[in-house]
Amino acid sequence: MNTNNIAKLLIVDDKPENLQALEAIIRHEGRQIFQASSGDQALALLLEHEFAMAILDVQMPDMNGFELAEMMRSTEKTRHIPIVFVSAAGKELNYAFKGYETGAVDFLHKPLDIHAVQSKVNVFVALYQQRNESRRQVLALEISRAQQEALLKDLHFAQEELQRAVRMRDDFMSMVAHELRTPLNTLFLESQLRTLQLDRNNTEFFNEGNLRKMVERDRRQIESMVRLIDDMLDVSRIRSGQLSIRRQPTELSSLLQRVVNDLSAQAVSSGSTIELETIEPVTGMWDQFRIEQMLINLLTNALRYGAQKPVTVSGVVQAGSVHIRVQDRGIGISDENLQRIFAPFERALNSDSSGGLGLGLYITRQLAESHGGFVRVESVVDEGSTFTVVLPLTET
Ligand SMILES: Nc1ncnc2c1ncn2[C@@H]1O[C@H](COP(=O)(O)OP(=O)(O)OP(=O)(O)O)[C@@H](O)[C@H]1O
Ligand SMILES: [Mg+2]
């Protein structure tokens, strides 16, 4: 039996022996019987419990059964409780009907006929339990409807996400194709040109000076393709949680110097310079290759979006961390764009054709975080941007 569907019955009589006898007759599995020996006691119980029915003795001192019933009818909580009056046959019947037209009322006469008592109580209890059950079902229905609605909402959301992802993948594919095609086209044209010169036996074309230039051009095209593919591999490693950091003692000032030197040619070709502010030697347990990668990403951006103005790099030790700062005085980033530049492929959705796939900052942030650090950016449109990578000196 469901404990929520236990029927509580109230029996009220001033004589204890009557209460005992009545309880013995109506006691049954799934019922809980409460006895009250006066109207006051009954009212107290009525306010505390929810009863399936009440059996009231009509003749009681102080408050008789009818007076108690009248009080029950005047209170919302007890108004609808079915009442069965127990009276000495016939006497009070006229009075009994007064005022009780609403709600279920019935009569039992003394001496009590066990069978009649039981069948009346059975009817009221069954009614009560049915009502409870249907209330429970309505509630369950309501809950499942709400769940269904929430599910539908989730589904709708997932569908939109999926559509967005598919759109993004398509955009991404055409962007990647385009990005790979540019260096490949250049290499293809170069090789055609060389074949032509070879066919003409034009050995002068392959003199040392020209060859060096060719090799340098080839290297640049190949590097840009390798970088693109490496970035894409990093993104898929990050997404599958497989990006690993190989920590080793790494000295920052010489690393900064090396990266700045490596990028000086690129700086010149973008019409800018990179200035490295003096920095004390400082060694941390970091993945050297990954720190270089973060710096290259930030510096490439600073050169690309730096409006040909000088770029400054500095490293400052502060409260157990090192702050690597890359500052440009270029186009800057609007507040609105600051929110999304760290998301992968954000760039890919841009119509702006200068620049790459929009992976650099995403990878940089992930790399900083896998070192236990973070990336911060401050920027003012048309005045420039400062990106700061903060890395803890001790392993976290
Ligand atoms: N220093 C900067 N100044 C102004 N805008 C910047 C700067 N750095 C990044 N951005 C903006 O943030 C976007 C995302 O940068 P991110 O480095 O992730 O991608 P990307 O440079 O476009 O391509 P990728 O790095 O993959 O070659 C850029 O496209 C650019 O709009
Ligand atoms: Mg970039």
Side-chain angles (χ1 to χ4, degrees):
M1 161 77 52
N2 181 350
T3 49
N4 289 332
N5 217 3
I6 290 248
K8 292 180 177 178
L9 312 184
L10 176 64
I11 55 179
V12 190
D13 199 309
D14 58 317
K15 296 196 183 69
E17 63 274 18
N18 283 354
L19 287 172
Q20 292 309 99
L22 190 54
E23 171 153 2
I25 297 173
I26 62 175
R27 194 184 295 137
H28 196 280
E29 194 198 339
R31 291 178 193 169
Q32 194 181 355
I33 294 160
F34 291 75
Q35 299 187 357
S37 57
S38 69
D40 287 343
Q41 232 179 54
L43 282 173
L45 285 168
L46 279 161
L47 290 179
E48 195 180 333
H49 300 275
E50 193 206 329
F51 286 104
M53 67 178 298
I55 305 178
L56 314 182
D57 182 28
V58 172
Q59 274 184 313
M60 288 190 293
D62 300 332
M63 191 192 300
N64 71 34
F66 293 131
E67 286 164 340
L68 174 57
E70 229 162 294
M71 295 196 74
M72 285 170 67
R73 290 291 185 248
S74 65
T75 307
E76 185 54 41
K77 184 172 189 314
T78 53
R79 176 171 299 159
H80 303 289
I81 300 174
I83 296 172
V84 176
F85 293 109
V86 180
S87 66
K91 274 193 222 157
E92 302 100 343
L93 284 194
N94 283 343
Y95 179 40
F97 279 105
K98 261 203 303 182
Y100 304 120
E101 292 84 359
T102 59
V105 169
D106 211 333
F107 293 89
L108 285 167
H109 302 291
K110 287 177 183 169
L112 292 175
D113 167 352
I114 293 178
H115 184 70
V117 174
Q118 281 173 343
S119 61
K120 270 197 209 317
V121 170
N122 287 349
V123 168
F124 281 121
V125 168
L127 268 174
Y128 171 79
Q129 282 169 337
Q130 265 169 24
R131 207 170 46 236
N132 263 2
E133 181 58 20
S134 54
R135 212 180 291 156
R136 200 190 58 74
Q137 281 174 0
V138 167
L139 205 73
L141 223 68
E142 188 57 38
I143 289 171
S144 96
R145 200 188 57 81
Q147 281 170 343
Q148 229 168 46
E149 215 165 80
L151 221 68
L152 219 68
K153 225 183 200 168
D154 285 353
L155 208 71
H156 194 66
F157 182 72
Q159 193 189 17
E160 272 177 5
E161 279 291 288
L162 208 71
Q163 280 169 347
R164 204 178 95 90
V166 168
R167 256 198 322 274
M168 200 145 136
R169 193 202 54 193
D170 292 348
D171 289 349
F172 174 62
M173 300 267 269
S174 55
M175 193 75 184
V176 170
H178 175 78
E179 288 283 313
L180 281 175
R181 229 205 152 97
T182 312
L184 266 178
N185 270 348
T186 314
L187 283 174
F188 182 65
L189 286 176
E190 284 272 347
S191 91
Q192 274 188 320
L193 183 67
R194 287 168 210 173
T195 311
L196 193 78
Q197 301 298 347
L198 277 176
D199 289 347
R200 289 182 184 165
N201 282 325
N202 184 3
T203 48
E204 182 46 29
F205 183 79
F206 297 97
N207 68 32
E208 194 190 331
N210 267 356
L211 260 180
R212 283 193 188 283
K213 281 185 202 150
M214 284 180 211
V215 170
E216 175 54 25
R217 282 201 301 270
D218 291 355
R219 192 188 58 78
R220 274 210 306 276
Q221 307 304 340
I222 292 166
E223 257 180 11
S224 92
M225 287 191 288
V226 168
R227 196 180 82 86
L228 197 84
I229 289 164
D230 281 350
D231 275 1
M232 280 167 20
L233 285 175
D234 274 349
V235 169
S236 83
R237 282 193 199 105
I238 289 167
R239 291 196 156 172
S240 59
Q242 283 169 347
L243 185 98
S244 59
I245 295 296
R246 290 190 200 91
R247 290 178 189 266
Q248 65 192 82
T250 302
E251 204 286 299
L252 187 67
S253 67
S254 52
L255 184 150
L256 287 183
Q257 190 66 61
R258 197 170 54 244
V259 173
V260 169
N261 283 346
D262 288 352
L263 287 179
S264 61
Q266 197 178 322
V268 170
S269 70
S270 67
S272 174
T273 54
I274 304 174
E275 286 165 27
L276 176 60
E277 289 180 2
T278 47
I279 161 178
E280 296 292 311
V282 50
T283 301
M285 285 300 289
W286 302 312
D287 184 327
Q288 181 177 322
F289 169 75
R290 296 303 191 177
I291 305 286
E292 283 177 12
Q293 190 182 357
M294 287 191 258
L295 259 167
I296 292 171
N297 283 343
L298 294 182
L299 282 170
T300 315
N301 283 351
L303 293 175
R304 198 182 268 164
Y305 310 110
Q308 300 179 315
K309 305 229 175 78
V311 172
T312 323
V313 183
S314 68
V316 178
V317 177
Q318 219 173 300
S321 295
V322 60
H323 294 230
I324 307 166
R325 199 164 292 144
V326 175
Q327 184 175 21
D328 68 64
R329 295 166 188 82
I331 60 171
I333 304 158
S334 67
D335 282 351
E336 180 202 332
N337 283 342
L338 278 179
Q339 310 296 321
R340 50 182 208 101
I341 51 172
F342 288 96
F345 309 124
E346 264 310 334
R347 180 47 184 273
L349 302 177
N350 261 349
S351 52
D352 182 356
S353 62
S354 72
L357 283 179
L359 297 180
L361 286 179
Y362 171 66
I363 294 172
T364 303
R365 169 176 274 182
Q366 298 294 324
L367 289 175
E369 286 175 3
S370 24
H371 279 86
F374 59 91
V375 183
R376 196 172 50 218
V377 53
E378 288 133 307
S379 186
V380 178
V381 173
D382 291 335
E383 285 186 23
S385 315
T386 305
F387 285 83
T388 311
V389 177
V390 179
L391 300 173
L393 276 166
T394 48
E395 208 169 311
T396 51

